Structures are given as structure tokens and as C-alpha cells.
């Protein structure tokens, strides 16, 4: 078990494999555990670094999450790469972690050589986000499999983590906080957007939104899977890994 300090708190991370570094960024209500079954697809080629963002997994808990949590998570990612002194890293962020990945690369392009942003809504939250979030979280708490997943990722205090996350996201939506702290036109790192047409947790016009974002970025690619749920990186695991590895190999 390894930790680094960020703003007076301990942030957990772990590593697998050797080679060019890739940092995997988990989504909201999850932790680095969500990548454990995927890592064998990457660890033979890369140094895979997994982080539990503050308030999640094995990292220290927080009293509340910031309404700008994806920017704060980007800063945690930057702090980790600086702490490891591993040279430039690629970022693979899924769901909420995709916003964190894009924000990190916009903030410190000198630290990253590629971004894979998977299964997220893009520049804005989807319509009726707050109502859908509340409905989804209520249903998840009542679902045995979802409860198991939450406890597996977060531990016995999973319900507190979920409630704090929900509160922060509702504030973000209510106050219409910007999801990116800098314009996408300032992106200096190659970006690959990935997602699934069948992902019910993302906006219906996901591919259209990805194309609009890609138009602002000098070096951007898009891959949409025909099938699979949320997130695409997991539900299309082998194909996604092949695409991501090929994307990185070209950089």
C-alpha cells in the first residue's frame, strides 16, 4: 500500500507493470478497484498507476466533496505524477474520471502525453441531470449488486461517500459550474474520446457531443462502440484496451 500527501491528507495509489506510465482515473462513487480486472490488458506493456481520489477507496475521507470535484481530482492527479517523478504519463479517465483527465491535461500539458476520456457527457451535464441522478442513486442503494459494488469500492462507509458525492454533483448542476476550467482550444495533448451507444448513463447524443469537442482540439480521435453499458472501457474491455494501446503507441 502506498500513499502521497495532498493538502494534508493521504491519497492512496498502487502500481502494476513496467513501461511508459498510464494513470487510471476512476469515476464517481467508484475507486481504483474498478480497474483491477482490466489491468492485465495493459500491464504487460505499461506502468499502470491507479489512484483513489480523496474521499474514495483507501484514501482519507473528506467532510464534503467540492462542487468542482473533477478539477480538484485533476489537481490530485497532477500531484501524484509530480510525486512519482515518472516523466510524462498518459491518462485513462472514465465517467467522472474523464473530466478529471481532461482538466489535468489542460492544466499541466507538460506532465501528460495522451488522454483517453471514456463514457462522459462532455462540456455540460445531460438534460434533467439532477432528477436522473437522484433517481439512479435511490435505485442503486436499493439494489443488492449496486450495494455490493459500492462497499467493494468504498468500504463499510460507502453510503456516506455516495451521499456526499450526490450532494456535490447536485450543487455543480444547480450552480451550472464549468466542467472544464480552461477552454478545450488550449488542449496541447492528443485526446481519444471513447463511449458506447448503449450507455444509458450518458447523453443520448454522445457521439455528436464528442465531435463538437474534438473540433476544438488540435489532435483528437473518437471511437464509439455499438454495444456495451457504462463505462465502455469495461463493457468492451478487450477491444477498448487494444484501441487505447494502439492510440498510445502512435504518440
Amino acid at each position: 500500500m502506498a500513499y502521497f500527501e495532498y493538502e494534508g491528507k493521504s491519497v492512496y495509489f498502487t502500481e502494476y507493470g513496467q513501461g511508459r506510465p498510464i494513470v487510471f482515473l476512476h469515476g464517481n462513487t467508484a475507486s481504483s478497484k474498478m480497474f483491477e480486472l482490466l489491468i492485465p490488458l495493459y500491464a504487460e506493456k505499461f506502468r499502470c498507476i491507479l489512484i483513489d481520489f480523496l474521499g474514495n477507496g483507501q484514501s482519507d475521507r473528506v467532510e464534503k466533496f467540492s462542487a468542482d470535484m473533477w478539477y480538484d481530482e485533476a489537481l490530485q492527479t497532477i500531484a501524484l505524477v509530480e510525486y512519482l517523478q515518472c516523466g510524462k504519463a498518459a491518462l485513462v479517465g472514465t465517467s467522472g474520471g474523464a473530466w478529471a483527465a481532461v482538466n489535468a491535461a489542460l492544466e499541466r500539458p507538460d506532465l501528460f502525453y495522451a488522454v483517453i476520456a471514456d463514457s462522459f457527457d462532455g462540456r455540460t451535464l445531460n438534460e434533467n441531470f439532477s432528477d436522473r441522478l437522484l433517481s439512479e442513486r435511490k435505485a442503486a442503494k436499493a439494489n443488492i449488486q449496486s450495494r455490493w459494488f459500492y462497499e467493494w469500492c468504498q468500504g463499510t462507509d460507502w453510503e456516506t461517500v455516495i451521499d456526499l458525492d450526490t450532494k456535490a454533483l447536485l450543487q455543480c448542476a444547480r450552480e451550472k459550474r464549468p466542467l472544464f476550467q480552461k477552454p478545450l482550444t488550449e488542449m496541447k495533448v492528443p485526446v481519444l474520446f471513447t463511449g458506447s451507444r448503449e450507455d444509458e448513463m450518458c447523453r443520448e447524443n454522445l457521439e455528436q457531443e464528442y465531435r463538437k469537442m474534438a473540433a476544438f482540439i488540435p489532435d483528437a480521435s473518437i471511437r464509439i462502440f455499438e454495444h456495451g453499458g457504462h463505462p465502455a472501457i469495461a463493457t468492451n474491455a478487450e477491444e477498448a484496451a487494444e484501441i487505447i494501446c494502439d492510440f498510445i503507441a502512435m504518440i
Side-chain angles (χ1 to χ4, degrees), residues 7-232:
E7 295 190 347
K9 291 186 178 293
S10 295
V11 181
Y12 172 82
F13 70 94
T14 188
E15 301 186 51
Y16 303 86
Q18 296 180 339
R20 297 175 78 185
I22 300 179
V23 184
F24 289 81
L25 308 181
H26 65 80
N28 291 64
T29 71
S31 71
S32 60
K33 281 184 174 292
M34 70 171 291
F35 295 114
E36 287 185 356
L37 297 177
L38 304 181
I39 289 303
L41 299 171
Y42 300 88
E44 290 187 2
K45 299 179 180 179
F46 302 102
R47 177 183 178 183
C48 300
I49 304 164
L50 281 60
I51 182 176
D52 284 347
F53 292 126
L54 275 179
N56 294 275
Q58 298 183 65
S59 291
D60 281 353
R61 293 299 185 249
V62 294
E63 293 184 1
K64 68 175 184 177
F65 290 114
S66 168
D68 298 315
M69 72 167 67
W70 296 314
Y71 181 65
D72 185 64
E73 291 172 352
L75 298 182
Q76 293 176 48
T77 304
I78 290 167
L80 172 60
V81 173
E82 290 182 323
Y83 172 79
L84 292 174
Q85 297 182 343
C86 58
K88 285 191 173 184
L91 295 173
V92 177
T94 188
S95 194
W99 277 296
V102 173
N103 273 307
L106 284 169
E107 190 72 20
R108 289 293 302 276
D110 58 305
L111 292 179
F112 306 106
Y113 66 85
V115 170
I116 293 84
D118 174 64
S119 302
F120 75 123
D121 274 345
R123 296 167 298 170
T124 60
L125 299 173
N126 60 58
E127 292 184 14
N128 303 315
F129 173 83
S130 296
D131 290 340
R132 288 180 59 181
L133 177 69
L134 289 170
S135 177
E136 288 169 359
R137 294 285 166 89
K138 181 179 179 179
K141 283 186 177 183
N143 181 276
I144 294 176
Q145 289 184 327
S146 296
R147 291 168 65 91
W148 176 87
F149 175 78
Y150 287 149
E151 185 166 358
W152 179 60
C153 285
Q154 307 294 359
T156 56
D157 65 340
W158 65 267
E159 193 162 4
T160 298
V161 176
I162 305 314
D163 289 344
L164 290 176
D165 183 86
T166 301
K167 184 176 180 180
L169 290 177
L170 291 175
Q171 181 184 352
C172 177
R174 182 176 64 253
E175 298 176 357
K176 297 183 178 180
R177 298 288 186 99
L179 306 185
F180 301 127
Q181 296 298 313
K182 292 186 176 180
L184 290 175
T185 52
E186 295 186 16
M187 179 63 75
K188 300 177 182 179
V189 177
V191 178
L192 170 63
F193 295 108
T194 59
S196 168
R197 297 190 196 282
E198 295 180 345
D199 188 342
E200 295 182 352
M201 295 184 69
C202 289
R203 62 168 72 233
E204 293 182 0
N205 62 336
L206 182 64
E207 183 173 7
Q208 182 181 359
E209 174 62 14
Y210 278 0
R211 292 191 182 282
K212 288 180 179 179
M213 286 192 292
F216 293 109
I217 299 172
D219 189 353
S221 303
I222 299 169
R223 180 57 188 266
I224 302 294
F225 300 99
E226 293 299 323
H227 304 290
H230 187 83

Side-chain angles (χ1 to χ4, degrees), residues 20 45-46 113-114 242-251:
R20 297 175 78 185
K45 299 179 180 179
F46 302 102
Y113 66 85
E242 183 177 354
I243 291 168
I244 290 170
C245 291
D246 288 346
F247 177 73
I248 290 174
M250 294 188 296
I251 300 171

